[in-house]
Amino acid sequence: MAHRPERTFRQRRAESSDSDSTQEPFAEPGSPGEQANLGPAEEGLPSGGGRAEAAELPRRARGRSRGRVWASSRHAARAAPRLDGGSDVPESRAVDLSTDEEDETHRSSESKDDQSSSSNSSSSLEEEFTSLVWIHFISCPIAVARTAKTMLNRSVNIPDAAFIQAAYRKRELARAQEDYISLDVKHAFTISGMKKNTEYPESETDDHENIIPFTTKPQTLRQKMAEKTATRNEETSEDSEEDKKYQDIWEQQQMRKAVKITKGRDIDLSHSSKSQTVKKFDASISFPPVNLEIIKKQLNTRLTLLQDTHRSHLREYEKYIQDVKSSKSTIQNLENSSNQVLNFKFYKSMKVYVENLIDCLNKKIINIQEIESAMHALLVKQAMIFTKRRQDELKHESAYLQQLSRKAETSTNRSLAIDEKTQWILEEIESRRARRRQARVLSGNCTHQEGTSSDDELSSADMIDFQKSQGDILEDHKKIFEDVHDDFCNIQNILLKFQQWREKFPDSYYEAFISLCIPKLLNPLIRFQLIDWNPLKFDSIGLKQMPWFTSIAEFIDSSMEDSKKDDSSDKKILSTVISKIIIPRLTDFVEFIWDPLSTSQTTNLITQSRMILEEHSTCENEVISKGKQDLLKPIASRMKKAIDDDVFIPLYPKSAVENRMSPHSKFQERQFWSGLKLFHNILLWNELLPEDTLQELGLGKLLNRYLIIALLNAIPGPDVVKKCNQIAACLPEKWFQNSAMRTSIPQLENFIQFLLQSARKLSTSEIRDEVKEIILILVKIKALNHAESFIEEYHLDHLKSVIKEV
């Protein structure tokens, strides 16, 4: 800790060369040199001159103190308590430095006076007292009082006023000559000079004008700095002393610990050395007998432990060698790899692009769903109009003919009462039929049968409303992506981004399973392109001609993987898109819009379905099989529903149908041909639907339940044979390709029996050409055994050649 140095104001004053502008240096009268030089002069000075100088000095001091009132007033407030307390002057930090010097001079003079009191005369005591009074009278009245008290205690005679004035006079002469008083100057003052200063004693001022200043002098900058430094040192002294105390205590504790440890070690060492010495030279201690087996066993145990440790160290060493090799390999791979900064930029840009794409599609998918639902609802509404109209017309026309039959049975001449709605419906039906006949005549189609028309015409008002609604939907459809950049709505541009990824970093591309993500990303955009797609229309664009299909196909073709691998991840993109997007879209058309009685719709649907299933079957797996079943199952269900709801062939008495122009006969013919048309449309699915499903629907439910019954109720003749030929023409040739077949399929047994029955009836009549047609039908459906037995039964040997040709 730093100790505060003693305050030696006297030494600093002597060493400093700076002088205060407001304070002049004074020579110390108490010094030995000054006493030697000033002694004779002081005795010869007149009293008048001394009073004049004494009177003039206070005025100068008062004039100098007025220039710095702000500084002096601040120190005066601090000095007041110290004066009252009677403390020693060097200990006060607020007293002026000059005052301290003069006090030191006073104390030194006192000590010298005490030393020479026995040898000096009374005149020297008077000179010392005069010098002290002169100095203290100038500097501080308190010092004057203290000095006077000291001298009184020492029984010294107080000099008179004349002696004091002479001292003042001597001081003034020295200042006028050299402007300062040196500590060791030796001047010989002349009498003339003193006389000159004492010629006018009358110019002295009165006693009341010689005001003694009782406040401290203004401090200089050096004094202020010294005071502030002393204050800070004094403030930190207490803390430093306490810290030093704790530091000493801690050092003592550490020294004690070190001494104890050293002593303990010395004691242990000395004790151990003594014990070793004792053990070494103690011959009385007896060791156990040496056993060779025990030593050998201990050595083996030790050897086993060392071997185990060695093996563990070898394993660790091998592990470390492998780690070093792998680290070197990793470093080499990283050094040989492409610039990581570029890779990071690419991945970051790809991440930002995908995030923006997903954000865009999430916002647009709502609009796409709305437009898609609106278009689907419009088409469903139109299909329901056709279906409901057909069923209502069938019901009203059948009720009308039933009323005609009852009227014919009762043979009443009353007119038939028909309500206005039925009358309007019948007129509407007849007007549409007339327009269709006229259109067929203009086109030259004379082989058309009544009842095979789809009857899907709309009135002009309904057609205008439908077209207007469809146009509004398509306008909204165009506005969905009009504010989106092509990089986020064009499938080709999107796939190009992923193609760049696949070409630059194939490993990370396939590790990220991008082939599973692409179908989900493209889902909204593909649905957007399918909004105006109607697979039931003849002029509908094909699946392979769609932009999304060609873009995906090009992306797959440019794959870096082996194109011969069927399980390629990128090759599954197209099949996944078809399974997740196209098949559900097509299923909605099948369930709600498709009319199985419409040959054009069925043909277009079969074309699109075959194309989809062919592309879908490129990758055979469980998902693909499930997607195929999801499409074919609704098709079979819809055809079954059409058989149950739309097929109706009434049975009338032969008397009602003998006349080919009667309403009953016409209605029955139309319904038969309508059922036969559905039979044809069902069997068109022979290459897509399973054979058992088609045979169950076409043969079991429609042929045997409706068509055969209508044929049995008809009059045998050329018309019946023509209808049978049409039925046989609808049957798929694939079912009868086996050359070894001698009997037809079981579901055709009723149809074969009807053919044999019709042939028997026609063989007895004059119409024999129709019998040959029937035999040809039997041969076509592979009912060879039945044909041969019939030929042998009726001795139709000329027809045996027909069987042999097969």
Side-chain angles (χ1 to χ4, degrees):
M1 298 295 291
H3 296 284
R4 183 175 61 187
E6 295 182 358
R7 305 177 63 173
T8 56
F9 295 125
R10 185 181 187 83
Q11 184 176 0
R12 293 179 185 176
R13 188 69 179 181
E15 292 174 356
S16 176
S17 62
D18 298 335
S19 62
D20 191 5
S21 61
T22 60
Q23 181 177 356
E24 294 178 350
F26 293 91
E28 296 183 7
S31 61
E34 191 176 352
Q35 290 178 0
N37 296 329
L38 297 179
E42 287 176 354
E43 293 177 358
L45 285 175
S47 62
R51 285 194 302 269
E53 292 292 331
E56 185 178 358
L57 280 171
R59 286 196 298 269
R60 294 180 181 178
R62 185 168 61 250
R64 289 195 300 268
S65 64
R66 290 176 184 176
R68 297 177 64 180
V69 176
W70 58 272
S72 61
S73 63
R74 182 170 60 250
H75 294 285
R78 298 181 187 176
R82 289 193 290 271
L83 294 176
D84 295 339
S87 61
D88 204 4
V89 175
E91 295 296 324
S92 177
R93 291 187 297 270
V95 180
D96 196 285
L97 294 176
S98 62
T99 305
D100 294 337
E101 293 176 359
E102 293 170 357
D103 290 342
E104 292 291 339
T105 305
H106 170 67
R107 282 192 291 272
S108 64
S109 300
E110 286 181 349
S111 63
K112 293 181 180 180
D113 181 63
D114 292 337
Q115 294 175 0
S116 59
S117 59
S118 59
S119 60
N120 295 336
S121 61
S122 60
S123 61
S124 63
L125 291 175
E126 290 178 357
E127 291 176 359
E128 179 182 359
F129 179 77
T130 303
S131 301
L132 291 172
V133 170
W134 178 73
I135 294 171
H136 290 291
F137 183 81
I138 296 172
S139 60
C140 182
I142 297 174
V144 174
R146 187 184 294 120
T147 306
K149 183 177 179 181
T150 304
M151 298 302 294
L152 288 174
N153 290 334
R154 296 170 59 180
S155 300
V156 178
N157 294 325
I158 300 173
D160 56 359
F163 187 81
I164 294 172
Q165 290 177 358
Y168 278 122
R169 186 68 177 176
K170 183 179 66 172
R171 179 77 174 178
E172 187 67 20
L173 290 174
R175 182 181 293 111
Q177 184 178 359
E178 296 184 4
D179 199 24
Y180 71 97
I181 299 176
S182 178
L183 295 177
D184 54 355
V185 69
K186 297 179 181 179
H187 291 286
F189 297 103
T190 60
I191 301 300
S192 60
M194 290 186 292
K195 289 181 178 181
K196 182 180 179 181
N197 292 327
T198 56
E199 288 179 355
Y200 302 98
E202 294 82 8
S203 61
E204 295 181 358
T205 57
D206 298 334
D207 293 337
H208 67 275
E209 294 181 359
N210 298 330
I211 300 174
I212 300 174
F214 290 92
T215 59
T216 59
K217 296 181 180 180
Q219 293 181 336
T220 62
L221 180 62
R222 184 184 300 276
Q223 293 171 353
K224 292 179 183 179
M225 292 175 62
E227 181 181 356
K228 290 182 181 179
T229 304
T231 304
R232 285 195 296 269
N233 293 335
E234 196 173 87
E235 289 175 354
T236 57
S237 63
E238 296 180 359
D239 296 336
S240 63
E241 289 176 0
E242 185 175 358
D243 294 341
K244 183 177 180 181
K245 179 181 179 181
Y246 290 139
Q247 182 71 15
D248 295 341
I249 293 172
W250 181 82
E251 290 177 356
Q252 292 175 5
Q253 292 176 355
Q254 299 300 319
M255 292 296 294
R256 289 196 210 100
K257 291 180 182 179
V259 170
K260 287 180 180 179
I261 293 171
T262 306
K263 289 180 178 180
R265 288 180 179 176
D266 296 339
I267 293 170
D268 293 339
L269 291 173
S270 63
H271 179 71
S272 61
S273 63
K274 290 178 181 180
S275 62
Q276 290 176 359
T277 306
V278 171
K279 288 180 181 179
K280 182 175 181 182
F281 297 100
D282 190 3
S284 63
I285 297 175
S286 61
F287 294 97
V290 177
N291 190 347
L292 188 59
E293 295 296 331
I294 294 174
I295 295 174
K296 183 179 179 181
K297 185 177 180 179
Q298 292 179 353
L299 291 175
N300 290 332
T301 304
R302 179 63 177 171
L303 179 61
T304 304
L305 293 175
L306 291 176
Q307 288 175 352
D308 294 339
T309 304
H310 179 66
R311 283 192 294 268
S312 64
H313 289 170
L314 286 178
R315 288 193 295 269
E316 291 181 358
Y317 175 74
E318 292 176 357
K319 181 181 178 182
Y320 293 150
I321 292 298
Q322 293 296 329
D323 293 341
V324 169
K325 289 182 180 179
S326 62
S327 300
K328 289 181 179 179
S329 177
T330 303
I331 293 171
Q332 186 176 3
N333 292 334
L334 291 175
E335 289 177 353
N336 295 333
S337 62
S338 58
N339 193 350
Q340 296 298 323
V341 176
L342 297 178
N343 296 351
F344 174 75
K345 289 182 179 180
F346 175 80
Y347 285 124
K348 185 176 181 180
S349 63
M350 198 69 191
K351 177 179 178 293
V352 173
Y353 173 76
V354 173
E355 289 177 352
N356 293 333
L357 176 62
I358 293 173
D359 184 59
C360 173
L361 296 179
N362 286 336
K363 292 180 179 179
K364 297 299 181 179
I365 188 64
I366 300 174
N367 299 332
I368 293 173
Q369 289 176 349
E370 292 177 356
I371 300 299
E372 189 178 40
S373 300
M375 180 63 75
H376 181 72
L378 182 63
L379 297 176
V380 170
K381 180 180 178 182
Q382 186 185 31
M384 290 180 65
I385 289 173
F386 293 147
T387 303
K388 188 175 183 302
R389 187 180 68 180
R390 181 170 60 243
Q391 293 176 356
D392 291 343
E393 290 176 354
L394 180 61
K395 182 176 66 175
H396 284 87
E397 191 171 5
S398 176
Y400 172 71
L401 294 176
Q402 192 68 26
Q403 291 179 6
L404 289 178
S405 298
R406 287 197 299 267
K407 180 181 178 182
E409 291 176 358
T410 56
S411 301
T412 58
N413 294 325
R414 293 182 303 173
S415 60
L416 185 62
I418 303 175
D419 57 350
E420 295 181 358
K421 183 177 181 180
T422 303
Q423 185 67 28
W424 180 82
I425 289 174
L426 294 176
E427 292 177 356
E428 184 68 21
I429 293 172
E430 190 61 31
S431 65
R432 289 202 305 273
R433 288 172 184 166
R435 288 196 295 270
R436 286 195 295 270
R437 292 192 199 101
Q438 184 178 2
R440 286 194 297 270
V441 171
L442 294 175
S443 62
N445 186 6
C446 300
T447 60
H448 182 79
Q449 297 292 333
E450 291 287 342
T452 57
S453 299
S454 299
D455 196 14
D456 53 359
E457 296 90 353
L458 284 174
S459 63
S460 59
D462 293 340
M463 183 61 70
I464 292 172
D465 292 341
F466 175 80
Q467 291 177 354
K468 183 178 182 302
S469 301
Q470 188 178 24
D472 295 340
I473 293 173
L474 294 178
E475 286 295 329
D476 295 338
H477 164 259
K478 294 178 182 179
K479 296 178 182 179
I480 293 178
F481 286 103
E482 64 180 2
D483 59 340
V484 180
H485 195 271
D486 288 342
D487 290 341
F488 299 96
C489 63
N490 192 324
I491 295 178
Q492 186 175 3
N493 294 346
I494 295 173
L495 292 178
L496 186 60
K497 295 282 187 180
F498 290 98
Q499 184 176 349
Q500 294 175 357
W501 185 0
R502 185 178 61 191
E503 293 175 355
K504 292 182 178 180
F505 311 102
D507 294 337
S508 62
Y509 172 84
Y510 291 111
E511 289 175 359
F513 299 98
I514 301 301
S515 59
L516 300 178
C517 302
I518 288 177
K520 296 181 180 179
L521 287 176
L522 301 183
N523 184 300
L525 300 175
I526 295 175
R527 290 169 59 183
F528 171 76
Q529 296 185 15
L530 294 176
I531 286 178
D532 59 343
W533 178 62
N534 189 349
L536 305 177
K537 294 176 65 175
F538 177 75
D539 56 350
S540 177
I541 184 174
L543 194 66
K544 292 184 178 181
Q545 286 75 35
M546 292 184 179
W548 66 266
F549 189 93
T550 56
S551 299
I552 294 176
E554 292 176 357
F555 179 77
I556 294 173
D557 293 338
S558 62
S559 175
M560 298 177 63
E561 292 184 344
D562 188 4
S563 60
K564 296 181 180 179
K565 293 174 62 177
D566 294 336
D567 57 347
S568 174
S569 58
D570 283 345
K571 283 189 175 182
K572 296 178 182 179
I573 294 176
L574 186 59
S575 60
T576 305
V577 169
I578 292 173
S579 177
K580 300 296 184 181
I581 304 174
I582 306 302
I583 289 179
R585 176 76 171 174
L586 197 62
T587 302
D588 292 338
F589 276 95
V590 170
E591 291 180 352
F592 303 105
I593 303 173
W594 174 44
D595 183 11
L597 289 173
S598 175
T599 304
S600 62
Q601 291 186 10
T602 303
T603 304
N604 296 329
L605 181 61
I606 290 172
T607 303
Q608 297 289 347
S609 300
R610 183 179 290 110
M611 188 184 306
I612 290 171
L613 294 178
E614 287 177 357
E615 295 293 337
H616 196 51
S617 61
T618 55
C619 300
E620 292 293 339
N621 51 38
E622 295 180 358
V623 178
I624 302 302
S625 178
K626 183 179 180 299
K628 184 177 180 180
Q629 294 298 324
D630 292 341
L631 175 61
L632 298 181
K633 187 177 180 180
I635 292 174
S637 300
R638 182 66 184 92
M639 290 190 294
K640 181 180 178 181
K641 186 176 182 297
I643 293 172
D644 296 337
D645 296 342
D646 297 330
V647 177
F648 174 69
I649 302 177
L651 299 177
Y652 296 114
K654 290 184 179 181
S655 59
V657 296
E658 286 179 353
N659 186 5
R660 302 290 299 233
M661 301 302 296
S662 64
H664 299 82
S665 178
K666 290 181 180 181
F667 181 70
Q668 190 181 44
E669 287 292 318
R670 286 196 299 269
Q671 292 304 115
F672 177 84
W673 288 107
S674 177
L676 185 59
K677 180 182 180 181
L678 180 59
F679 179 76
H680 172 262
N681 294 340
I682 291 173
L683 295 180
L684 288 175
W685 293 92
N686 66 88
E687 295 181 359
L688 299 176
L689 291 176
E691 290 184 1
D692 55 350
T693 303
L694 288 177
Q695 291 174 4
E696 181 184 358
L697 292 173
L699 303 180
K701 292 184 176 295
L702 186 53
L703 178 63
N704 295 331
R705 186 179 297 180
Y706 293 100
L707 300 180
I708 296 299
I709 294 175
L711 291 174
L712 291 174
N713 192 40
I715 300 172
D719 294 337
V720 174
V721 176
K722 181 180 179 181
K723 293 176 182 178
C724 291
N725 275 322
Q726 292 294 328
I727 292 173
C730 295
L731 297 174
E733 296 180 358
K734 183 180 179 181
W735 294 356
F736 313 106
Q737 288 180 354
N738 190 359
S739 59
M741 287 180 63
R742 303 297 296 177
T743 58
S744 183
I745 56 181
Q747 287 84 352
L748 289 176
E749 187 63 29
N750 293 333
F751 182 60
I752 293 171
Q753 294 299 328
F754 173 75
L755 291 175
L756 294 175
Q757 181 181 354
S758 301
R760 292 188 185 98
K761 291 180 180 180
L762 292 175
S763 62
T764 59
S765 64
E766 297 179 355
I767 309 173
R768 289 183 174 268
D769 294 337
E770 280 72 10
V771 175
K772 183 179 178 180
E773 294 292 334
I774 293 173
I775 297 300
L776 292 175
I777 293 172
L778 291 173
V779 171
K780 182 179 180 180
I781 62 177
K782 293 296 182 178
L784 300 179
N785 294 334
H786 293 88
E788 289 177 354
S789 61
F790 180 80
I791 290 172
E792 291 178 358
E793 181 181 356
Y794 288 92
H795 306 287
L796 301 174
D797 297 336
H798 63 281
L799 297 177
K800 289 181 180 180
S801 61
V802 177
I803 299 174
K804 291 179 181 180
E805 290 176 0
V806 179

